[in-house]
Amino acid sequence: MFNNNRHLNIFEHYTQKGSLPIENNVSRGLAILLNQNSLVLDRFIDFINSKCFEKKSSCMVPKPQRLNDKEIGIQQQIAKIVQSYPNPQNLIGITLTTASPINMIENKNDDNNGLITDIIISCKDTLVVIEVKRNAVDARLQLKQQVKSIAAEVVRQGGNLPDTELLDGTWEEIISILQDVYNISGSDENSVLGHYINHLENHYQQWFPVSLLTDITIDRENESAVDKRILNLIKNCCENESDAEKYSGRYIIPLEYDFCTEAQLSLDYESKRLMITIWSGDTKWQSYCLFNKTTNDLSWVYENSLTVDGLKLDLLTEPYLRLAHFQSTIIAEYFDKAYYQRNFGVSKDKCMALYNDITREWKRPEWSQFRALLKGKYSGLINMSSFDSDFQSSFENSNRSYAHVSFGYETTAYLPMEVISKYERNNSTLRGNDKLASFISKVINQLMKKIY
């Protein structure tokens, strides 16, 4: 494909330094759509009216019956808006941002002449003001000032004070409307609507609603859309939605086991498989619990498949050495699997001997003793060449005075696209109705039973 083919899109521009304000360009594209696509405008009016209804507002937007019932403008000054539409009965303002707006505060510097609306829609006796922002830093503040100034200008020019309402909108909601209309109208990529959606996809994929993985082309170009679905799956797997952010902003599925506290979801782009990964025995306490509180032996370490709902999933467990500092993993070195199987097998007692020898806080004066243990008694357990290099750069040549050493087991279950497709067919991304999230929870529970 030619590299500059995106410029065949009517909303794409050749860029120059210091030119083309992004917000103005995106709002201009939306205004064009609202002006030329009657179904987009109809659905947008429904969207505004539903928000007004939710707030029990007296304001509603009447739908145009004739061409001259509506007009759409961009970058309009307050005074000129009121001169063109001098006595509106309703005045509705809506922000269009990527996140929830900040709380409304008063702007003490009123300047009607300097205020410019991003998009203004006139429908019969109602004016709709849209404030477009890529983020919510000051969208609500600007919108409130614009609506307040238009209302004041109406009165100043001899009209009656209009009923007003302020609403919050997001790009995700608007894009969902555009996608619905696009699907209804036959998904014509050469339409103005098709060009606009493609333009948004090229630049602002993170604004889009959550898509099913089966609706996304799995490649790095669509990573933000994939990540959005994975985050959605994580939240849908959690008992409480807020649980996904318990651990220092890392998105995980928290697990309530002594030997394992979290599961992570990620995508292997090369094999196009969803990976469910847990780390059992990761810390000193978790290792102790794994070897002393669980009733099963360690035969699960060598199993290469897991059957859930009659589906056979690939399974891989890798024992590893972990060196941490201030609870953060600094070095994680996989064990040599053949050495581990030959010397430890499925025995927890043999693993406890290794645990007793190495799992503790090793202070800087003891580091040579620790390395000697790995090179002597446990020679072959890890690749000492790569470990020595990592240890030297991360510990010996650092200001760190200790290393917390432990070992655990990284276990990954793989969900190929055919399994994902089975559960995402006619699926919902909504919490409580997400069949793929329910299956992922089953996989994790089945894995825990195998270990516990």
Side-chain angles (χ1 to χ4, degrees):
M1 180 181 290
F2 294 116
N3 290 332
N4 64 345
N5 260 3
R6 70 183 182 87
H7 290 110
L8 294 176
N9 185 298
I10 62 176
F11 294 102
E12 293 287 348
H13 293 259
Y14 291 103
T15 57
Q16 285 180 287
K17 187 177 180 180
S19 68
L20 189 63
I22 294 175
E23 289 163 6
N24 290 349
N25 191 43
V26 173
S27 59
R28 169 183 169 269
L30 180 58
I32 290 171
L33 276 181
L34 292 168
N35 193 48
Q36 72 89 41
N37 192 312
S38 57
L39 185 53
V40 170
L41 179 61
D42 185 84
R43 292 296 178 88
F44 184 74
I45 291 174
D46 287 342
F47 167 69
I48 292 176
N49 286 341
S50 68
K51 286 187 172 288
C52 288
F53 180 78
E54 288 174 4
K55 295 186 72 172
K56 297 181 172 57
S57 173
S58 61
C59 293
M60 298 290 281
V61 183
K63 292 190 177 181
Q65 304 299 317
R66 302 181 302 273
L67 284 175
N68 60 359
D69 283 345
K70 59 93 176 173
E71 186 174 0
I72 296 170
I74 59 172
Q75 299 296 298
Q76 300 294 313
Q77 290 185 339
I78 300 298
K80 291 184 178 179
I81 291 171
V82 179
Q83 286 171 9
S84 299
Y85 300 97
N87 195 20
Q89 294 183 21
N90 298 305
L91 178 55
I92 300 171
I94 182 166
T95 57
L96 183 48
T97 69
T98 59
S100 299
I102 58 174
N103 292 330
M104 285 191 294
I105 57 175
E106 293 289 347
N107 185 349
K108 300 301 182 182
N109 300 313
D110 294 353
D111 180 9
N112 291 357
N113 294 325
L115 290 173
I116 303 289
T117 59
D118 285 334
I119 302 175
I120 185 80
I121 303 175
S122 167
C123 282
K124 295 185 177 180
D125 59 359
T126 299
L127 291 177
V128 178
V129 180
I130 306 172
E131 178 61 26
V132 179
K133 291 289 180 186
R134 287 172 292 164
N135 53 58
V137 176
D138 60 356
R140 193 66 186 272
L141 172 63
Q142 287 183 251
L143 180 72
K144 184 177 182 181
Q145 191 59 28
Q146 289 167 2
V147 169
K148 177 181 175 182
S149 298
I150 292 174
E153 185 65 17
V154 168
V155 174
R156 194 186 71 79
Q157 293 189 23
N160 297 318
L161 185 68
D163 292 334
T164 62
E165 188 61 71
L166 294 176
L167 306 172
D168 303 332
T170 65
W171 276 105
E172 184 171 315
E173 291 172 310
I174 298 304
I175 291 172
S176 181
I177 292 170
L178 299 181
Q179 288 177 323
D180 286 345
V181 174
Y182 184 63
N183 292 331
I184 290 170
S185 60
S187 304
D188 181 4
E189 292 186 3
N190 293 319
S191 67
V192 175
L193 176 55
H195 275 243
Y196 188 64
I197 291 175
N198 286 337
H199 173 69
L200 294 179
E201 284 179 329
N202 286 335
H203 296 280
Y204 315 109
Q205 202 173 69
Q206 69 274 19
W207 295 359
F208 278 66
V210 176
S211 298
L212 299 174
L213 290 174
T214 47
D215 292 335
I216 304 169
T217 301
I218 304 301
D219 56 37
R220 288 291 180 182
E221 290 184 359
N222 295 319
E223 189 169 2
S224 60
V226 170
D227 288 347
K228 197 165 191 175
R229 173 57 173 149
I230 289 176
L231 175 57
N232 171 249
L233 283 167
I234 289 171
K235 289 185 174 181
N236 290 346
C237 285
C238 291
E239 184 175 343
N240 300 301
E241 193 170 348
S242 60
D243 287 348
E245 299 182 56
K246 275 187 176 180
Y247 297 88
S248 304
R250 292 185 300 118
Y251 288 101
I252 64 159
I253 303 169
L255 304 176
E256 295 184 0
Y257 294 89
D258 290 337
F259 62 89
C260 182
T261 59
E262 65 185 65
Q264 289 190 359
L265 297 186
S266 58
L267 193 76
D268 183 338
Y269 281 87
E270 280 192 27
S271 64
K272 294 180 171 46
R273 296 186 297 178
L274 192 63
M275 301 185 294
I276 306 169
T277 303
I278 65 165
W279 292 267
S280 45
D282 189 57
T283 65
K284 180 179 179 180
W285 170 246
Q286 289 173 21
S287 289
Y288 177 85
C289 293
L290 179 65
F291 300 135
N292 289 279
K293 293 188 176 184
T294 60
T295 57
N296 296 333
D297 63 19
L298 297 175
S299 57
W300 53 270
V301 172
Y302 309 102
E303 296 187 19
N304 58 18
S305 67
L306 180 72
T307 300
V308 183
D309 282 355
L311 298 170
K312 190 175 180 181
L313 308 175
D314 286 342
L315 190 68
L316 177 65
T317 296
E318 297 275 10
Y320 63 91
L321 180 71
R322 176 180 184 257
L323 275 68
H325 191 264
F326 279 109
Q327 300 182 347
S328 295
T329 300
I330 308 301
I331 297 175
E333 187 79 30
Y334 288 131
F335 287 178
D336 181 280
K337 196 74 172 282
Y339 175 95
Y340 177 84
Q341 186 168 8
R342 187 169 60 252
N343 289 276
F344 299 94
V346 300
S347 171
K348 290 181 179 178
D349 290 338
K350 290 181 179 179
C351 288
M352 274 303 297
L354 174 63
Y355 172 92
N356 291 329
D357 279 345
I358 68 171
T359 303
R360 65 181 180 88
E361 179 182 285
W362 292 83
K363 298 187 183 299
R364 183 176 279 269
E366 303 170 311
W367 286 352
S368 59
Q369 178 187 344
F370 169 62
R371 291 171 65 186
L373 195 61
L374 293 178
K375 290 180 178 180
K377 183 177 181 178
Y378 295 109
S379 175
L381 181 67
I382 60 173
N383 183 328
M384 284 304 297
S385 177
S386 64
F387 176 79
D388 277 339
S389 175
D390 291 342
F391 190 79
Q392 183 175 11
S393 61
S394 298
F395 284 93
E396 291 181 333
N397 295 339
S398 75
N399 293 324
R400 295 185 172 109
S401 60
Y402 69 88
H404 280 140
V405 176
S406 59
F407 71 96
Y409 303 84
E410 178 187 275
T411 303
T412 302
Y414 296 89
L415 275 62
M417 285 306 298
E418 54 264 30
V419 171
I420 293 170
S421 298
K422 173 181 171 65
Y423 288 94
E424 284 205 325
R425 191 179 301 120
N426 301 319
N427 190 29
S428 170
T429 60
L430 297 177
R431 183 174 169 81
N433 297 310
D434 190 337
K435 290 183 286 187
L436 181 57
S438 297
F439 180 71
I440 289 169
S441 295
K442 284 185 181 180
V443 172
I444 294 171
N445 290 335
Q446 191 79 4
L447 198 52
M448 293 299 104
K449 288 179 182 178
K450 190 175 286 292
I451 297 171
Y452 197 75

